[in-house]
Amino acid sequence: MIDALLSILRVLGALLLLYFLPGYLLVNALYPRKGELDREYDRLYRVTLGIVLSIAVTVLWSFLLNSLGVNPETGLGYVAPANTAAGLVGLSALFFGIGWWRGAYPQLARIHPSLARTPASSPSEFASVEERDHRVRLRLQELATSRERLRRVIRDAERRMHLQSPDAKSHFEAKRDQARTELRNIEAELLKLEEERAAELY
């Protein structure tokens, strides 16, 4: 029973090492930022590329072993299960180390704070953040200008209400009420934008 279980575990470990682990760790080393491959299907892309790259890494490592010629001690080539497994484990460890250094595994900080690494932001990411912040600032200025204009409209309508006839007074009341409604909407949008901007900054 135990021998059968160990055999199954060895097969699963071999399949994982041959067809998934090295490539997946290589993908994380190349693209450490979450969502870098795709915002919605990033994990699926990583798994798929990991399988493909694992096969490629295994083939290239086998070519390298085969290029070493014949082992004089055994009279056979160096493409043997032990050599293949050792090489793939070593490459996986190397890819994992590179990925950790580039910030692909921020969850390791839960084990120890010294393991915390964050991925560097790309220039395009900096540009997109700066561009978005610029658009938000322009929108805030537009809303602030509209708010002041509506406040003047409300004050002017209230002043005219006291000077006009009843018919004209109802006209300015409607104008004031409409301006107040627009002002409430603008103030709500201003508050929302300011809260979102504060959340991004802090």
Side-chain angles (χ1 to χ4, degrees):
M1 180 66 180
I2 296 178
D3 292 339
L5 181 60
L6 290 176
S7 298
I8 293 174
L9 291 177
R10 279 196 295 268
V11 171
L12 292 177
L15 291 175
L16 185 68
L17 187 61
L18 288 171
Y19 297 111
F20 180 72
L21 191 60
Y24 183 76
L25 295 175
L26 177 58
V27 171
N28 288 340
L30 295 174
Y31 305 100
R33 287 180 294 276
K34 184 179 180 181
E36 191 170 4
L37 292 176
D38 187 85
R39 290 186 177 181
E40 187 174 359
Y41 300 107
D42 184 75
R43 182 62 59 85
L44 177 62
Y45 279 30
R46 289 178 186 274
V47 171
T48 305
L49 284 175
I51 294 173
V52 174
L53 289 178
S54 288
I55 296 173
V57 168
T58 301
V59 171
L60 291 175
W61 179 248
S62 299
F63 282 161
L64 178 62
L65 291 176
N66 190 56
S67 67
L68 298 178
V70 178
N71 187 345
E73 296 181 358
T74 62
L76 302 174
Y78 286 92
V79 182
N83 294 335
T84 303
L88 293 179
V89 169
L91 289 173
S92 298
L94 175 64
F95 297 152
F96 176 81
I98 296 173
W100 167 77
W101 181 258
R102 300 193 66 197
Y105 309 103
Q107 60 271 22
L108 291 179
R110 300 175 184 174
I111 300 175
H112 195 277
S114 63
L115 297 176
R117 300 283 300 179
T118 55
S121 299
S122 63
S124 60
E125 185 176 347
F126 277 126
S128 62
V129 171
E130 185 176 350
E131 182 181 353
R132 183 170 63 252
D133 184 65
H134 179 66
R135 289 199 302 267
V136 170
R137 283 188 279 109
L138 287 178
R139 182 58 179 164
L140 287 172
Q141 291 176 1
E142 292 175 0
L143 291 173
T145 302
S146 298
R147 180 176 60 183
E148 293 304 317
R149 178 182 60 79
L150 289 171
R151 285 175 176 173
R152 289 195 299 269
V153 170
I154 293 172
R155 287 195 299 267
D156 182 68
E158 290 177 342
R159 181 179 61 83
R160 290 176 180 270
M161 284 167 53
H162 299 291
L163 303 176
Q164 303 296 330
S165 63
D167 293 337
K169 182 178 179 180
S170 62
H171 167 73
F172 286 108
E173 283 181 350
K175 188 175 181 180
R176 180 199 61 184
D177 294 341
Q178 181 181 358
R180 283 179 174 175
T181 301
E182 294 179 8
L183 181 61
R184 283 194 296 269
N185 294 335
I186 286 177
E187 288 179 340
E189 186 176 354
L190 271 170
L191 180 61
K192 181 180 178 181
L193 286 175
E194 289 172 352
E195 289 176 349
E196 291 177 353
R197 192 162 182 243
E200 290 179 356
L201 292 175
Y202 303 105

